[in-house]
Amino acid sequence: MSKGGKMPRLNSQEDLVRLREEILAKRDPKRPCVFVCNGTACIASGGLEVLKAFQEEIERQGINALVDTKGPGCSGFCERGPVVVIYPEEICYVKVRPEDVPEIVKETLIGKKVIERLLYQEPLTGEKEIHESDISFYKHQTRVLMGVKLDPRSIEDYIAIGGYSALSKALFQMTPEQVLEEVKKSNLRGRGGAGFPTGRKWETAKKAPGDIKYVIVNGDEGDPGAYMDRALLERNPHSVLEGLAIGAYAVGASEGFVYVRQEYPLALKHVLMAIEQAESYGLLGENILGTKFNFKVKVHQGAGAFVSGESSALMTAIEGKVGEPRPKYIRTSVKGIWGRPSVLNNVETWANVPLIINKGADWFRGYGTEKSSGTKIFSLVGKINNTGLVEVPMGVTLRDIIFKIGGGIRNGKRFKAVQTGGPSGGCLPEDMLDLKVDFDELTKAGSMMGSGGMIVMDEDTCMVDVARYFVDFLTEESCGKCVPCREGLRQMHKILTDITKGKASENALELLEDLAEVLTGASLCALGKSAANPFLSTLKYFREEYEAHIKGKRCPALVCKDLISYYIDPEKCQACMTCLRKCPAKAIDGGKNLIHIIDQDKCTKCGTCFEVCPSKFRAVRKISGEPVPERLPEEKRKIVRERKAQ
Ligand SMILES: Cc1cc2nc3c(=O)[nH]c(=O)nc-3n(C[C@H](O)[C@H](O)[C@H](O)COP(=O)(O)O)c2cc1C
């Protein structure tokens, strides 16, 4: 019906129930269906081509009357994309290429046999898993939002799983006040950063004077390494719209906005498509489901500035002005867009609302901790085996997320730190791995939940460089409107850069701490107020690294270019010419049987020699805080040639 066919307008609660029954009656749950993940990450690794290959091959083999194909949104396991799951058996294949498709159709769809080589192999045990739910990455998650299987382009798929029944329940069985009470009782806290109680925000807007009120979805999500909200909008846009409509009903709004950044074209496309479909069915627009409730949704495309995700900046952008923050003497829930009460919530916050209304506040509180209920989606990235989107109940430990779900650190390296909370979050060390992840515990530890970015770092990471990187990002993204943030960040970035170059003064840390105090206390918005976190948390847990850089002119993790040198160990060099040929700066001197030497004046420290030196030799070393050993005299360099010549 959503693919060009006319949609019947639903004029009552019964109409929706009937439509759902009709949709379900036409579907056979045992009918085979091939789900090819078509989230942005899987598309980038060929998901669209794999889906097309299935459709063509199924037709070629004449089984198209027996098998369905679907291109759902992100399944979370982006590292192994394109991911293909075959139902009803739930056979999961990873890293599937179009060339694999004829074999899958013949062997698995027709022959009911599993193809070993396409199965996921557990990094720690080496075991191969057949079913999606047995894979450790999924097994330890609670996928309330991420586990829903549907085609995001089909409103019928959403209705089939009970979609829009929460809106219907709210409109026909609950007063706006009861909806508000249920959300308050659920203890849902905003998933966009601060963890502000959603019900309280709604109540403020509801009580605020004025007939015109707005509800808004914050889909800006500009944090480096985070893509939960983009994925939710791509994979289930109707759940966000349904939540938004319920919120509008509760607070008395008849207009809403979805703010999506332009760099998220698929999310934008799916949201626009979903709005059109919902309007056609009468689930958005005038007299929703035949009631007196009117609610229209507009989409605002963000121009891609991190600061525009801040509430007042985002609302200013919707008004058509530059998306910069303004002082919030009066909350935006009282005076927001065009001075009217406006409720802004994060994508994930809105997506939880239909579940709370349908299943009840007690069900929601059954997940998570006392003060942070429900689940939370994290984007687990960095030096970890299984990167992707992970949904867990609040209160799960960092260790469980990183090791049980994430499969541990890549290449057998040691865990060093995890950065949570986006660019202004903090880095937590190994001895905090048993910290229970919720809003308050993370804040107490000097980091924060933010919107759910989680970047895992291994032993080869320099924590000073990490702080410099995030401060660099924030310096670029500061709107420059207030002096403490604009100038404070610039100075902080300069001092951190000096430290990584070994040029910082002895009192650099005191200067940075002073700056941190000013930034935190005097900045206009939370970008500046929290901008010192990357520095403060790394200083708290990794002070010795700062001191090594400042006092010893040494980078213990061997990362900071100005403090390291590459050196070829003459005892180990086999004069194989590999590094010499690959060095882009032509800084390596040597010959076929002549031990190689790096000319330190020409070396750009790009690290190519280190990477290409065969692992059986490991002759190239990185050193820091010590002088490069004297150049080997010419006659000694020839020893290898003589030895080889014998
Ligand atoms: C610099 C900055 C950027 C922000 N970016 C986002 C964002 O991309 N998405 C988001 O939901 N909240 C973002 N926030 C938080 C919002 O200001 C706001 O608190 C949030 O959207 C409220 O929704 P919630 O209560 O559901 O979390 C940002 C805040 C700051 C200071």
Side-chain angles (χ1 to χ4, degrees), residues 594-631:
L594 195 64
I595 286 175
H596 303 349
I597 291 178
I598 298 173
D599 181 339
Q600 298 296 326
D601 294 332
K602 287 189 189 162
C603 177
T604 58
K605 299 179 188 175
C606 66
T608 305
C609 53
F610 186 78
E611 281 160 26
V612 300
C613 180
S615 55
K616 57 185 174 192
F617 305 150
R618 287 195 200 283
V620 181
R621 280 177 50 206
K622 277 196 240 182
I623 52 176
S624 181
E626 56 180 294
V628 177
E630 289 284 317
R631 200 183 150 96

Side-chain angles (χ1 to χ4, degrees), residues 490-510:
R490 204 178 290 177
Q491 287 308 315
M492 189 170 255
H493 182 249
K494 186 181 174 309
I495 299 172
L496 284 168
T497 306
D498 283 350
I499 297 178
T500 59
K501 287 177 184 289
K503 291 184 191 160
S505 58
E506 288 280 318
N507 66 343
L509 293 181
E510 287 101 85

Side-chain angles (χ1 to χ4, degrees), residues 189-198 201 216-223 229 261 305-312 314 325 328 344-350 424 451 474 525-528 530:
R189 292 173 69 176
R191 285 4 189 190
F196 192 83
T198 303
K201 190 188 286 184
I216 312 149
V217 178
N218 191 342
D220 185 53
E221 197 177 48
D223 319 22
D229 297 342
R261 61 168 47 212
F306 173 69
V307 75
S308 300
E310 189 274 340
S311 56
S312 66
L314 184 143
K328 289 190 282 189
L344 174 73
N345 278 125
N346 169 261
V347 170
E348 194 180 334
T349 315
W350 288 118
S424 20
S451 57
L474 292 166
C525 83
L527 187 148
S530 57

Side-chain angles (χ1 to χ4, degrees), residues 530-550:
S530 57
N533 274 349
F535 161 67
L536 291 173
S537 65
T538 47
L539 182 69
K540 180 171 174 186
Y541 296 117
F542 302 94
R543 180 177 268 272
E544 68 290 349
E545 281 196 41
Y546 279 94
E547 282 167 358
H549 282 74
I550 297 167

Side-chain angles (χ1 to χ4, degrees), residues 80-147:
R80 307 293 159 135
V83 178
V84 171
V85 185
I86 298 167
Y87 292 94
E89 296 88 351
E90 204 207 274
I91 296 167
C92 179
Y93 292 140
V94 294
K95 290 194 183 258
V96 177
R97 290 158 304 141
E99 307 86 88
D100 300 319
V101 170
E103 189 185 349
I104 300 176
V105 173
K106 185 164 168 262
E107 296 297 323
T108 308
L109 279 174
I110 300 173
K112 302 287 170 204
K113 279 187 248 144
V114 169
I115 303 167
E116 275 272 312
R117 80 186 154 79
L118 294 173
L119 294 175
Y120 172 74
Q121 186 169 20
E122 296 288 352
L124 299 180
T125 61
E127 257 175 60
K128 292 204 165 179
E129 305 292 1
I130 297 175
H131 303 112
E132 187 185 47
S133 51
D134 291 332
I135 295 174
S136 57
F137 178 78
Y138 292 118
K139 196 162 66 185
H140 302 290
Q141 295 190 41
T142 302
R143 304 175 79 225
V144 169
L145 297 170
M146 288 297 292

